[in-house]
Amino acid sequence: MKEIFVVALLIGAVSYFASDIVFNRRYGFVKYSGIELYIVGVLFSFVTDKNIISSLHIFVIVALTFIGFSFGIQFDRNTVKRITFKELSFAFLFSLTFFVIYLLLGLLGFNDNREVLSMILSMPSVSFLFAIGEKRFSVVSSEISIVFVLLFGSFLKFGFSTLVVFLLSPVFAFVLFFFEKALNKEEMNIILFALLLIESSLSASLGFDPLLSSWLFGFVFALLSNSQVFIKSFDALERPLFLSLLFFIGANFGSGFYELPKLLSLILPALVKPAFGGLLFHSNPLLFLPIGAMGIAVAAESNSSKIMTFTVISYFMFLFLSEVFRRKFLK
Amino acid sequence: MIYLLASLGFGALFFMLKTYLQLNSFYLIAFSLGFLILISFFTGKFFSKIGLPAITGYLITGLILSPYLTGGVPVYVLKATKFIEEIAIVFIAFQSGMEIELKFLKQYGKEVIRLTMLIALFAFAGIFATSLFLLKKFPGNVLNTSIILGILLILKSPLSTIAIIKESNTNTLFGEKILGIAVFKDVLVVTLFAIIVPLLTSGNSSAKLIVYGLIGSVVFGILLGFLISLYMKHIKAEAHVLIFLLALFITELSYIHLDPLIISVIVGFFIKNFTVYDNEFSKILNTFSPILYLLFFTLADSGIDVRNLIPLIPVSLLFIAVKWVFTMLGISLGTKDVSLRKYGAIGLLNQSGLSLALIVLAEAAFPVEGPIIKGIVITVIVLTDIFAPALFKKVLVKVSTEEAN
C-alpha cells in the first residue's frame, strides 16, 4: 500500500511543480487550487483497493484537527478584542440564514447528509476574500460565520453531546498553556502535535466533530497565551494539509461519479449565497462564489464520496469562474 | 521533578483511557502515538535535567511501553508506524551527510580513514576470536557465526552520534572525528558485508547485487542532491513538501536494492559541499527533525522482545567489553590525538541501527547461525543504547571544556 501511496504522492509533487510552470502567474487562483493533487487522487482511486482508501480516513481526521486548531489560534486576544458587535451579529445572521436556507433546500432532494451540505455551502472562502483585498468587515464576518456554521452543523449532527466538546477541548488548551513557560518553541510544537493526535482520535471515536473540537482547542489556547508562536509553524503546514485533503477526496472519487449529474444540480441553489451575500454585504456577488478550504475540510470529514466529489467539483468550478472574472474583483 | 511527574501522569492516563475507552484499531494508532510522544518527551526532559542524554530517555520509554513489557503499545501500532522510523532514518542521515565537510575531509580524511580501518581490524579480530571461543556449542558453523558477528559488531551508530553531539551543544574536533569514523564504518561494513556474505555462502549473484547497490546508492544520492539544488534554485515554493516526499521515496528504494542510508548521507553531503543551499536545506530538516528524532529513538527498541534477550546479556556484555578494549588498541596505534586516545573508545561504543537491517540479510543467508547472531547483536544494541549515549555525552562535554582551556 505504502509503495502506491508514495508513487501517487510523487506524481502529485511532480504535477504540482509542472503546474507551477504551466500556469505561471497568469492564473493565480487556479495555480493554487491544488487541482493536480485531486487528479492524482482520482487516478489513485482507480488503481487501489477501497479498504486502503478508507484506511486513510484516520490521517484525514488528524489533518482536520490541525486545520481546526490553526483556524482557532487566529482568534487571539487582540483579534477578539477588535471584533465589533456589528461584525458578530452580521456573521451570526449570515451563517444562520444560509444554513437554514440550504437545510430547507436540501429537504427537496438530498435528505442524506443535508446538514453537511448546508455547512459546506454556507461557508464563505475567507482566504479568497482576503486575497482579493476585500474590506476587513467582510473578511472578519466571514471568519466568524464559519465558526457559527461549525456550531450549527455540530449541534444538528451530534446533538447535545457537542456540549462535551466544550468541556474536553479547553482541557487540551490548559495542558498546552501549563507547559508554555517551561518549554521552547520546538518543544511546544512536539507537545502540540501529540495533543492534536490524541484529540483527533478521541473526537473520532467518541463521535464529536474534530473540526469544532480542535477549533475550540486553538481558540481557548489563543485566549490564554501567545499563540503567535504557533502561527508561523502552522502557516508552513497549511498547504500540505490542504493538498492532502484534496488527494484524499480525489481517492474517494469512485461512487461519487455516478451521482454527479444529480449533485451538480445543487450548484443552482449554491448560487443563492452570492445573490444574498452581495445584497447583505453590498459587494460584488461573485465574491461569495468560491467554496473555501473549510468547506473542503467539512466535506472530507463527512467521508461521503458523493459530498466530497460535489464539493471539490464546485470548488474548482467556482474558482475557475472567479478566475475569469478576476479583473473585476481587483481594486 | 515536574517532568518525571508529567511523564508518569501521562503514562497513567494513557493506560487508564486505553482500558476505559476501548478505541478501535484505527483510532488507537493516533491515540497511542500521541501519548507515546508525550511520555517519551517528558522522560527525555527528565533525563536531560539529571545530566543524561534525552535519547536514553526516549529509548527506555520505548522499551517500557513495548508490547512485550507493559503492553502499552500494541504490535499492530508499531507495524503501522514503521514508516515513521524509515523516514526518520532518512532525515537523520541527511543531517549526518551535512555534518561531513569537504574541508574537514581534506584536512583529516586520511587520518579518519586510517583510524577507521585500524579500529575495524582490531575490533573484528577481538570479536571474531571471542566468538570462536564462546559460541562453539551453538548450532551451525562457528566460523560463519564469528565472521558475521565480527563484521556487525564493528558498527557504531552515526544517528545517535549526531543526536548526542547536537544535544550536548558542543562543537569539538573530537566529535567531528567520531562522526567521521562512524560514517566510514557504515560504508566499510556494508562493503565488507557485500563481499564476505556471498563468499561464505558460495554465491555471487547477491555479491553483484550488493556492489550494484553500493555504487547505485552513491550515484542516486548525487543525482537527488543535484535535483534538490535545482529545485531550490528555480522553484523554491513548498520545498519542505518536496523534501518530505523525497524522504518517503528514498525509503522505498531498498526494493530496488539501493541503500536509503547511503543515498541520504550522500544527498546531505552533496548539498552541504557542492551547492549554496545548505542553509535552506538545513532549516527544512530542522522543522521535521525534533519530532522525528523523538519518534525514531522511542520506536527503535519498542519492537524488541527484551524477555528473550535476558539469557544473552552476560555474553553480550562480554562482547561489548571486547569491542571497547580492541577499539582502544586500534585508536592508540592509529592516532596521536590525545582526546581520541583517551575517550575515543567510549565515543565508538554505541551499536548502529544499521546492524538491525544487516541482520535481516544475515538471517536469510545463514538460516542456522542467524538466530544466535541476531540475538547477540540486538542485545548489544539494547545494552549500549542504555548507557553508551550518556557516556558519550559526558565525554563530549569534558573534551569541549579541555579544548576551551
Side-chain angles (χ1 to χ4, degrees):
Chain A
M1 175 234 162
K2 204 178 91 193
E3 298 87 278
I4 306 169
F5 192 52
V6 169
V7 171
L9 279 172
L10 271 171
I11 298 168
V14 172
S15 56
Y16 175 76
F17 309 139
S19 79
D20 199 82
I21 295 154
V22 173
F23 290 121
N24 207 351
R25 285 170 184 230
R26 285 186 301 138
Y27 301 101
F29 296 136
V30 176
K31 177 187 159 190
Y32 288 108
S33 66
I35 193 162
E36 65 283 355
L37 252 292
Y38 177 68
I39 293 169
V40 172
V42 172
L43 294 175
F44 184 70
S45 74
F46 292 121
V47 294
T48 195
D49 190 57
K50 263 193 172 177
N51 292 331
I52 291 172
I53 295 168
S54 62
S55 70
L56 293 176
H57 193 63
I58 179 66
F59 296 108
V60 174
I61 299 286
V62 175
L64 290 177
T65 47
F66 275 81
I67 290 170
F69 181 85
S70 144
F71 185 47
I73 51 169
Q74 285 169 25
F75 292 87
D76 57 17
R77 266 178 286 185
N78 286 337
T79 314
V80 172
K81 269 184 203 163
R82 285 175 62 203
I83 294 173
T84 61
F85 180 73
K86 198 180 163 193
E87 284 165 345
L88 201 66
S89 43
F90 216 92
F92 181 75
L93 277 176
F94 181 86
S95 48
L96 188 67
T97 312
F98 289 116
F99 190 72
V100 172
I101 288 175
Y102 285 122
L103 209 59
L104 293 173
L105 284 173
L107 285 174
L108 300 176
F110 290 90
N111 285 337
D112 52 333
N113 285 315
R114 65 179 191 276
E115 66 280 349
V116 180
L117 273 174
S118 309
M119 283 171 82
I120 294 163
L121 290 171
S122 43
M123 279 178 178
S125 169
V126 180
S127 54
F128 182 76
L129 292 175
F130 188 75
I132 60 167
E134 235 336 82
K135 51 194 175 201
R136 185 193 125 89
F137 181 79
S138 311
V139 177
V140 174
S141 305
S142 305
E143 271 186 320
I144 305 169
S145 74
I146 289 178
V147 179
F148 282 126
V149 172
L150 278 177
L151 271 172
F152 300 150
S154 189
F155 268 107
L156 212 64
K157 275 194 291 181
F158 305 109
F160 282 96
S161 69
T162 301
L163 290 175
V164 181
V165 174
F166 284 87
L167 296 172
L168 186 76
S169 295
V171 174
F172 286 93
F174 284 121
V175 170
L176 195 61
F177 178 63
F178 180 77
F179 291 108
E180 195 188 25
K181 286 217 170 96
L183 306 175
N184 63 33
K185 191 186 143 196
E186 267 182 5
E187 294 172 332
M188 283 294 279
N189 277 328
I190 293 175
I191 301 291
L192 174 65
F193 180 65
L195 289 176
L196 284 174
L197 279 175
I198 297 168
E199 203 201 19
S200 60
S201 53
L202 283 180
S203 331
S205 50
L206 297 176
F208 304 137
D209 186 348
L211 270 173
L212 181 70
S213 60
S214 54
W215 175 83
L216 202 62
F217 174 11
F219 175 61
V220 176
F221 180 70
L223 289 182
L224 288 170
S225 124
N226 174 25
S227 55
Q228 294 300 323
V229 175
F230 290 117
I231 288 180
K232 259 196 163 177
S233 326
F234 274 86
D235 273 353
L237 271 177
E238 214 170 76
R239 194 160 166 78
L241 286 175
F242 179 64
L243 294 178
S244 337
L245 284 189
L246 284 177
F247 171 81
F248 174 74
I249 292 177
N252 273 283
F253 183 65
S255 59
F257 179 72
Y258 303 103
E259 301 262 357
L260 210 54
K262 192 182 168 192
L263 285 167
L264 285 179
S265 67
L266 263 178
I267 287 180
L268 278 178
L271 293 171
V272 169
K273 191 169 67 171
F276 276 89
L279 281 174
L280 283 170
F281 289 104
H282 304 292
S283 306
N284 188 334
L286 289 167
L287 285 176
F288 302 96
L289 263 183
I291 287 176
M294 284 303 269
I296 302 268
V298 173
E301 189 191 346
S302 74
N303 207 18
S304 147
S305 58
K306 279 190 287 184
I307 303 268
M308 285 191 263
T309 308
F310 161 72
T311 307
V312 92
I313 287 180
S314 320
Y315 160 74
F316 288 129
M317 221 161 76
F318 289 157
L319 214 57
F320 181 72
L321 277 176
S322 314
E323 186 64 57
V324 174
F325 293 103
R326 193 181 170 195
R327 282 174 194 277
K328 282 189 179 181
F329 301 152
L330 293 171
K331 294 170 181 173
Chain B
M1 198 61 188
I2 189 162
Y3 296 126
L4 182 65
L5 284 176
S7 166
L8 292 172
F10 281 120
L13 192 67
F14 171 54
F15 280 101
M16 220 169 68
L17 286 175
K18 204 178 125 207
T19 321
Y20 178 70
L21 292 172
Q22 298 289 324
L23 302 171
N24 79 26
S25 54
F26 264 176
Y27 303 131
L28 192 59
I29 296 171
F31 180 80
S32 307
L33 212 56
F35 270 105
L36 203 63
I37 293 170
L38 285 179
I39 300 164
S40 190
F41 173 80
F42 286 113
T43 313
K45 286 292 284 181
F46 171 69
F47 272 67
S48 288
K49 280 277 167 202
I50 57 168
L52 293 168
I55 69 161
T56 309
Y58 304 155
L59 291 160
I60 289 177
T61 307
L63 275 176
I64 292 174
L65 292 178
S66 82
Y68 312 103
L69 268 187
T70 57
V73 183
V75 176
Y76 73 86
V77 171
L78 290 179
K79 277 185 185 162
T81 51
K82 192 80 194 153
F83 76 99
I84 297 175
E85 273 183 71
E86 291 170 3
I87 292 173
I89 289 177
V90 171
F91 270 85
I92 298 168
F94 278 157
Q95 283 188 318
S96 303
M98 288 196 74
E99 293 293 319
I100 311 167
E101 283 191 58
L102 215 55
K103 210 174 100 189
F104 170 82
L105 282 184
K106 276 179 189 161
Q107 209 172 344
Y108 301 105
K110 276 186 190 165
E111 183 192 349
V112 168
I113 292 173
R114 192 182 61 239
L115 254 177
T116 311
M117 295 293 199
L118 269 171
I119 294 166
L121 188 72
F122 275 83
F124 174 81
I127 292 158
F128 175 76
T130 315
S131 172
L132 269 184
F133 179 70
L134 280 180
L135 305 177
K136 273 185 289 193
K137 286 179 187 162
F138 283 90
N141 183 340
V142 71
L143 195 69
N144 288 351
T145 311
S146 306
I147 291 172
I148 299 301
L149 256 185
I151 294 173
L152 288 180
L153 291 182
I154 292 173
L155 286 163
K156 146 81 186 158
S157 166
L159 306 182
S160 71
T161 309
I162 192 163
I164 300 292
I165 292 175
K166 275 190 143 206
E167 203 189 313
S168 66
N169 233 348
T170 55
N171 185 15
T172 59
L173 183 59
F174 168 77
E176 279 186 58
K177 283 184 181 174
I178 293 286
L179 181 63
I181 294 171
V183 173
F184 280 115
K185 268 189 175 184
D186 266 12
V187 177
L188 179 72
V189 167
V190 171
T191 318
L192 275 177
F193 208 78
I195 300 163
I196 305 267
V197 170
L199 282 177
L200 294 179
T201 52
S202 55
N204 59 10
S205 62
S206 57
K208 273 183 196 162
L209 211 58
I210 296 175
V211 171
Y212 143 81
L214 265 176
I215 298 167
S217 303
V218 173
V219 173
F220 209 86
I222 294 171
L223 189 73
L224 277 183
F226 179 67
L227 286 176
I228 292 172
S229 65
L230 270 187
Y231 179 83
M232 284 180 159
K233 186 178 177 187
H234 295 289
I235 302 177
K236 275 186 186 163
E238 320 282 358
H240 52 286
V241 182
L242 172 91
I243 304 297
F244 195 80
L245 289 170
L246 271 181
L248 262 172
F249 175 64
I250 291 173
T251 62
E252 294 300 309
L253 290 173
S254 50
Y255 285 100
I256 51 166
H257 306 287
L258 297 180
D259 184 348
L261 196 71
I262 295 178
I263 294 172
S264 316
V265 169
I266 298 288
V267 167
F269 176 73
F270 183 86
I271 290 176
K272 173 77 187 177
N273 295 291
F274 299 100
T275 74
V276 289
Y277 305 104
D278 52 327
N279 280 336
E280 281 172 65
F281 190 66
S282 185
K283 266 187 198 165
I284 294 167
L285 297 186
N286 286 337
T287 48
F288 295 109
S289 55
I291 189 83
L292 285 175
Y293 264 55
L294 184 145
L295 278 171
F296 174 77
F297 288 110
T298 308
L299 295 169
D301 289 351
S302 56
I304 296 170
D305 187 351
V306 279
R307 293 167 308 181
N308 294 341
L309 305 181
I310 293 168
L312 293 171
I313 289 177
V315 72
S316 302
L317 280 172
L318 190 68
F319 275 116
I320 294 170
V322 168
K323 182 182 173 179
W324 183 58
V325 170
F326 280 82
T327 302
M328 227 159 53
L329 267 173
I331 292 174
S332 31
L333 282 174
T335 184
K336 284 176 183 162
D337 184 320
V338 184
S339 305
L340 270 179
R341 288 170 77 111
K342 255 163 110 177
Y343 310 114
I346 294 172
L348 292 168
L349 213 50
N350 209 167
Q351 186 65 26
S352 172
L354 178 66
S355 33
L356 278 177
L358 294 179
I359 286 170
V360 180
L361 294 176
E363 257 191 317
F366 306 99
V368 185
E369 299 88 346
I372 185 65
I373 297 173
K374 187 180 176 180
I376 291 172
V377 172
I378 290 177
T379 315
V380 170
I381 290 175
V382 174
L383 289 173
T384 52
D385 272 351
I386 292 170
F387 67 86
L391 288 175
F392 184 41
K393 189 181 172 185
K394 266 197 165 175
V395 158
L396 274 173
V397 176
K398 213 170 183 182
V399 172
S400 175
T401 324
E402 282 175 11
E403 278 185 13
N405 291 334

